[in-house]
Amino acid sequence: MSDRTPTGDPWLLTPGPLTTTPSVKRAMQRDVGSRDDDLRATDGRIRRRLLEIADATEDHACVLLQGSGTFVVEAMLGTFVPRDGHLLVAVNGAYGRRMARIAKVMGRRVSTFEGPEEAPFSLDRLEATLVIAQDVTHVAVVHCETTTGVLNPVDAAAVLVRAAGAALLVDAMSAFGSLPLAPCYEAMAAASNKCLQGVPGVGFCIARTRALSGCEGRAHSLSLDLYDQWLRAERDGQWRFTPPTHALLALDQALTELETEGGLEARAARYAENGRILVDGMRALGFTSLLDDAVQAPIIYTFRSPADPAFVFADFYARIRTRGFVVYPGKLTRAETFRIGCIGALHPTQMHAALAAIQATLEDMGVQDCAPEESRS
Ligand SMILES: *Cc1c(COP(=O)(O)O)cnc(C)c1O
């Protein structure tokens, strides 16, 4: 099929790493020294542009960190929550649960309030919990909970958190670079390889400078200490430990491509169109989406697995892959589901081609009916 990517790899309809453009991959065909002015200039440009994307004013700082997204989330929690602090996490999926686990592993006091995965977290529950737990110092939330693709009410949560005298920490990993988020937080973490369309390897935290400057000595870890990392970058523009040079070059190029595309609004519009084509096409094939359209972010979509015994996800996955597309397993605790992403260097052409591949695959497998099992929820 001529639907393949330029490298012949399948298109990645996943939550990341994603299909990147040839020009982003080409940007990595260089070796730059970790202490060289060249890299320092690249870093400075990246940090300045990330702050612009975050709409973060003069009183915010951007700290870059090596590693996948979880590393920078762990670094954010460890750097901002004091050792005698109390973290409250809003949990409606795997990434909220992961933040609670991180806090527990690092020995911070942590509480959660959990709600259904197919709905945004409840602001009423947040407010009520903050009234009961007066000693909560920090609240952690996920912007787009990639477990299902549900969009959480971060702005409204920020108002409640501020009223309670606590500080908000946001995992904006899967939305940053597409969905706007006002800088209503004390700190926010995201990474290079989702909506920014860079390659994996660079995480970053955008934080209020005043809050960050009070974080000396809080971190439980040397390598994940964002205060230390920030201080060094401010002092002489250096990384403390080997920087992911190639991933930084790719991110710099990816940020240029985001600007060229027309910024967040244009990117969000492309993803929304991709998502609309996907969900309409899947419904036309008989699939049921897990979420109501009103709470769905145009990032990743969760579909119920058909009850038809001819549908076996591993087989479905392998056959679609042969046709040039990689889909994603479900991550839900309760319902049988699978996921399809619409972010990355993907356009309507690929979404239409993916639907054609799915239709052909269902025919090959002999799946007659895509309705999910009634009793499942
Ligand atoms: C992808 C993602 C992460 C980070 O996951 P890694 O596998 O460590 O990159 C964290 N939070 C959310 C919401 C994500 O989508």
Side-chain angles (χ1 to χ4, degrees):
M1 242 200 256
S2 59
D3 294 333
R4 291 281 166 148
T5 62
T7 51
D9 294 305
W11 298 96
L12 303 178
L13 305 180
T14 69
L18 304 167
T19 300
T20 56
T21 60
S23 36
V24 161
K25 287 186 274 290
R26 263 197 312 275
M28 292 186 285
Q29 305 282 358
R30 300 175 54 210
D31 300 306
V32 296
S34 65
R35 306 286 172 211
D36 198 74
D37 284 346
D38 196 350
L39 185 70
R40 216 183 329 221
T42 304
D43 275 7
R45 212 162 38 238
I46 289 172
R47 293 198 288 147
R48 179 178 49 72
R49 294 198 282 184
L50 292 174
L51 286 167
E52 280 169 15
I53 291 169
D55 203 13
T57 47
E58 291 299 300
D59 54 359
H60 284 74
C62 176
V63 191
L64 304 173
L65 186 75
Q66 302 93 328
S68 89
T70 304
F71 289 66
V72 72
V73 171
E74 183 156 348
M76 174 175 73
L77 297 178
T79 303
F80 286 89
V81 182
R83 297 194 191 198
D84 60 354
H86 181 184
L87 177 71
L88 173 66
V89 187
V91 176
N92 61 334
Y95 293 99
R97 256 192 309 278
R98 185 179 295 175
M99 287 202 283
R101 176 133 183 258
I102 288 170
K104 196 170 289 171
V105 166
M106 65 174 75
R108 298 294 194 278
R109 183 155 169 230
V110 56
S111 303
T112 58
F113 70 100
E114 305 205 12
E117 292 178 323
E118 53 277 359
F121 64 74
S122 156
L123 290 165
D124 289 345
R125 293 267 322 273
L126 172 62
E127 190 168 28
T129 310
L130 285 169
V131 167
I132 298 163
Q134 291 280 343
D135 61 349
V136 164
T137 56
H138 290 72
V139 176
V141 300
V142 181
H143 190 194
C144 167
E145 196 17 293
T146 323
T147 307
T148 56
V150 73
L151 190 64
N152 279 321
V154 177
D155 291 312
V159 175
L160 300 177
V161 171
R162 197 177 315 120
L168 184 67
L169 305 175
V170 184
D171 170 355
M173 204 68 58
S174 58
F176 192 90
S178 169
L179 303 181
L181 177 65
C184 57
Y185 41 75
E186 178 163 295
M188 182 228 68
S192 52
N193 66 295
K194 295 200 177 177
C195 297
L196 292 176
Q197 297 185 187
V199 304
V202 188
F204 53 90
C205 177
I206 289 174
R208 271 184 218 288
T209 312
R210 188 138 34 89
L212 184 57
S213 47
C215 290
E216 184 175 5
R218 279 188 192 174
H220 57 293
S221 155
L222 176 69
S223 57
L224 298 181
D225 185 345
L226 292 177
Y227 174 85
D228 231 30
Q229 184 89 339
W230 172 62
L231 212 61
R232 185 69 201 272
E234 285 296 303
R235 200 184 300 140
D236 55 10
Q238 301 281 355
W239 290 63
R240 294 176 301 158
F241 314 118
T242 303
T245 47
H246 299 83
L248 288 162
L249 293 167
L251 178 57
D252 192 32
Q253 173 63 25
L255 289 167
T256 300
E257 292 177 15
L258 176 58
E259 280 164 25
T260 310
E261 184 170 352
L264 292 195
E265 233 169 274
R267 180 149 299 175
R270 173 165 59 86
Y271 289 168
E273 191 184 358
N274 286 350
R276 182 44 48 207
I277 292 166
L278 175 70
V279 84
D280 286 351
M282 290 295 281
R283 283 175 183 157
L285 290 172
F287 285 98
T288 304
S289 52
L290 180 82
L291 300 180
D292 285 342
D293 292 352
V295 299
Q296 171 77 58
I299 308 274
I300 191 160
Y301 292 74
T302 305
F303 297 98
R304 307 276 208 94
S305 295
D308 189 328
F311 185 90
V312 177
F313 179 75
D315 188 22
F316 180 70
Y317 176 98
R319 288 170 185 265
I320 293 175
R321 195 192 182 288
T322 315
R323 292 190 153 86
F325 298 91
V326 168
V327 297
Y328 216 63
K331 205 174 189 166
L332 254 66
T333 39
R334 289 184 300 147
E336 267 319 308
T337 58
F338 64 94
R339 290 178 289 173
I340 303 183
C342 65
I343 58 176
L346 300 170
H347 293 83
T349 316
Q350 281 80 46
M351 304 317 291
H352 287 299
L355 288 163
I358 290 168
Q359 182 166 21
T361 297
L362 293 170
E363 281 162 17
D364 286 357
M365 291 172 74
V367 177
Q368 307 283 336
D369 184 357
C370 291
E373 209 170 282
E374 280 305 321
S375 59
R376 287 176 182 153
S377 62

